[in-house]
């Protein structure tokens, strides 16, 4: 068969095909379109139903609905900060997990707090806190979440449950009316605010007896940092409802209770740190005791050291309280000039001694007045005093002691001072007044001497005179 005959045959066959074939193709296309529409419609229907379905965890759904509604309202007091990170934690006294919203603003980190009260989300925001941390309270042996607020000079920590329950009167709270009523009066009375403020670099330190120093940060005496990192999810205001829901579901799935967070490793690390602090505190306590013991020994007055510790006090005290000339030789040099100086107004039989270096009685008065003022003797009963310038004479720019006879006048031998007691820096010392002429004790003088830790000096704070004749 020729080529032309073949072509003619094909035309005849094509012309003779049934028209129903084209209809079949059209039906198939319609079916495909319907199926596509059904699939797309079903997808959107499924999406609609899914968005209407609550999240499995009721508390997570409550937060989702709140954020979704806040986004629509766009009110500053409720709206979640854009580009923030959301996490959920378990907080004491709060039934449902608390939502933390971390964000950055003007180069600073902030954290806002949201919690559920009677099925409604309440918020505590604008606190200027930069973080929420899980800390271990050493004294109470308890883990708790604390807010952290930082200034240039201080770090402040407050128990998160107290912040939520409004225990701090300075807190700026933007909450619903339900917030004010989220605790009964009884609970409010039982709950005491727990807030700690530490000065930057604040330490507790103790000087040891050998001149070293033991120090510990004050924060470490109160808390142990657990260094727990809570899983967070990213949030932004352009999320679709589906994306927001998925984000909250993811955050809810990452949520862990305190028991789940506190692994054995974390607990062991906290225990090790706590033991280090306790050991350091024991070391500091021992150093304090050793220092106190040494200080007590240094303050203590005995018969052997009474001269070196308070000799000058006793010399002046003998002069001030008794009015005797004893003590002057230890302050000024005494030069015996008996019979060589004829002082007008004195009798020839008077014995005369020059007080070397003293030009006037007034000068002596000034010195003793200064001593009285600086050593608290002026607080004592002035009736105990006698005229300590009696028997002194001025002549030609010099001061002389004029005696009425050999060995006349009182005498106190400071070397024979008796220490009656000495404890905790307070000592009682007894001096005995001896009548030189008859070598007879005439009076006992009891001085109370107190050690001043600031000035490192001994002060005569009281005196009593007992006549023995």
């Amino acid at each position: 068969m020729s080529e032309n005959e073949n072509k003619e045959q094909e035309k005849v066959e094509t012309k003779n095909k049934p028209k129903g074939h084209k209809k079949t193709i059209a039906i198939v296309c319609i079916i495909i379109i319907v199926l596509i529409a059904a699939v797309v419609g079903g997808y959107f229907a499924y999406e609609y139903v899914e968005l209407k379905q609550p999240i499995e965890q009721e508390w997570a759904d409550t937060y989702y609905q709140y954020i979704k509604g806040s986004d629509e309202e766009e009110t500053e007091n409720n709206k979640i900060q854009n580009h923030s990170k959301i996490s959920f934690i378990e907080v004491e006294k709060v039934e449902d997990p608390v939502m933390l919203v971390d964000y950055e603003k003007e180069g600073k980190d902030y954290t806002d707090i949201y919690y559920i009260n009677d099925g409604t989300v309440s918020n505590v925001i604008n606190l200027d806190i930069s973080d929420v941390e899980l800390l271990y309270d050493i004294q109470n042996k308890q883990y708790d979440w604390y807010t952290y607020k930082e200034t240039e000079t201080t770090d402040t920590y407050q128990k998160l449950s107290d912040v939520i329950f409004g225990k701090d009167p300075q807190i700026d709270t933007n909450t619903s009316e339900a917030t004010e009523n989220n605790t009964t009066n009884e609970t409010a009375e039982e709950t005491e605010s727990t807030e700690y403020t530490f000065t930057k670099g604040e330490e507790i330190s103790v000087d040891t007896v050998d001149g070293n120093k033991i120090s510990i940060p004050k924060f470490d005496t109160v808390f142990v940092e657990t260094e727990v990192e809570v899983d967070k999810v990213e949030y932004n205001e352009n999320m679709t409802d589906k994306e927001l829901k998925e984000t909250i579901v993811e955050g809810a799935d990452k949520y862990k209770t305190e028991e789940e967070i506190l692994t054995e490793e974390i607990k062991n690390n906290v225990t090790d740190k706590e033991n280090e602090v306790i050991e350091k505190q024991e070391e500091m306590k021992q150093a304090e005791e050793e220092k106190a013991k040494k200080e007590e020994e240094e303050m203590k007055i005995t018969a052997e050291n009474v001269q070196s510790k308070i000799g000058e006090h006793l010399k002046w005290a003998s002069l001030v309280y008794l009015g005797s000339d004893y003590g002057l030789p230890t302050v000024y040099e005494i030069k015996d000039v008996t019979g060589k100086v004829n002082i007008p107004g004195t009798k020839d039989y008077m014995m005369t001694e020059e007080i070397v270096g003293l030009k006037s009685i007034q000068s002596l008065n000034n010195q003793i007045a200064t001593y009285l003022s600086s050593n608290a003797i002026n607080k004592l009963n002035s009736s105990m005093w006698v005229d300590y310038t009696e028997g002194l004479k001025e002549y030609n720019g010099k001061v002389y002691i004029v005696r009425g006879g050999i060995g006349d006048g009182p005498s106190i031998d400071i070397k024979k001072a008796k220490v009656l007691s000495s404890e905790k820096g307070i000592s009682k010392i007894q001096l005995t007044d001896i009548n030189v002429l008859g070598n007879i004790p005439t009076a006992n003088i009891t001085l109370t001497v107190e050690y001043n830790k600031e000035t490192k000096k001994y002060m005569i704070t009281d005196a009593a005179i007992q006549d023995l004749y």
Side-chain angles (χ1 to χ4, degrees), residues 198-306:
F198 304 95
T199 302
K200 295 284 189 184
E202 185 175 5
E203 291 186 333
I204 296 176
S205 61
V206 173
D207 293 325
T208 63
V209 293
D210 55 6
N212 295 322
K213 180 178 288 187
I214 305 174
S215 301
I216 184 173
K218 188 173 181 181
F219 175 89
D220 290 346
T221 66
V222 180
F223 295 119
V224 176
E225 290 184 311
T226 62
E227 299 181 355
V228 166
E229 292 291 336
V230 179
D231 291 329
K232 302 175 182 180
V233 292
E234 303 282 344
Y235 164 83
N236 71 76
E237 60 187 14
N238 296 321
M239 284 180 167
T240 64
D241 288 349
K242 179 186 176 185
E243 291 171 334
L244 174 61
K245 190 171 187 178
E246 289 173 348
T247 297
I248 298 302
V249 169
E250 181 184 357
D253 290 341
K254 290 182 176 181
Y255 164 73
K256 294 179 181 179
T257 64
E258 184 177 294
E259 184 178 356
E260 292 172 325
I261 289 176
L262 295 174
T263 63
E264 287 303 313
E265 181 181 2
I266 291 176
K267 290 180 180 179
N268 290 338
N269 290 339
V270 167
T271 300
D272 290 344
K273 181 63 177 179
E274 181 184 16
N275 290 337
E276 288 178 16
V277 171
I278 293 173
E279 185 177 342
K280 180 64 71 70
Q281 288 177 321
E282 287 294 329
E283 187 180 351
M284 295 173 73
K285 181 181 178 182
Q286 183 177 351
E288 285 278 19
E289 291 174 351
E290 291 175 354
K291 188 174 67 172
K293 183 177 180 180
K294 181 180 179 182
E295 192 175 60
E296 177 68 23
E297 290 298 320
E298 290 176 347
M299 293 188 298
K300 196 168 186 178
I301 296 176
T302 64
E304 290 74 24
N305 65 24
V306 65

Side-chain angles (χ1 to χ4, degrees), residues 403-443:
R403 299 174 183 263
I406 297 177
D408 190 17
S411 175
I412 299 176
D413 189 349
I414 299 179
K415 294 179 181 179
K416 295 182 179 180
K418 182 185 295 184
V419 179
L420 302 179
S421 64
S422 185
E423 187 176 0
K424 296 182 180 180
I426 299 177
S427 305
K428 290 190 178 296
I429 299 165
Q430 186 180 83
L431 305 173
T432 301
D433 175 16
I434 305 293
N435 185 297
V436 179
L437 188 61
N439 198 28
I440 300 172
T442 59

Side-chain angles (χ1 to χ4, degrees), residues 4 6 26 33 45 78 80 82 87 95 107-108 111 140 186 227 247 261 320 331 334 361-362 369 402 413 443 445:
N4 290 333
N6 286 336
I33 292 171
N78 297 321
I80 303 296
N82 192 25
S87 58
E95 183 177 352
K108 292 182 63 177
T111 299
N140 296 319
E186 180 181 357
E227 299 181 355
T247 297
I261 289 176
V320 172
V331 179
I334 301 296
I361 296 175
Q362 184 59 45
V402 180
D413 189 349
I445 303 94

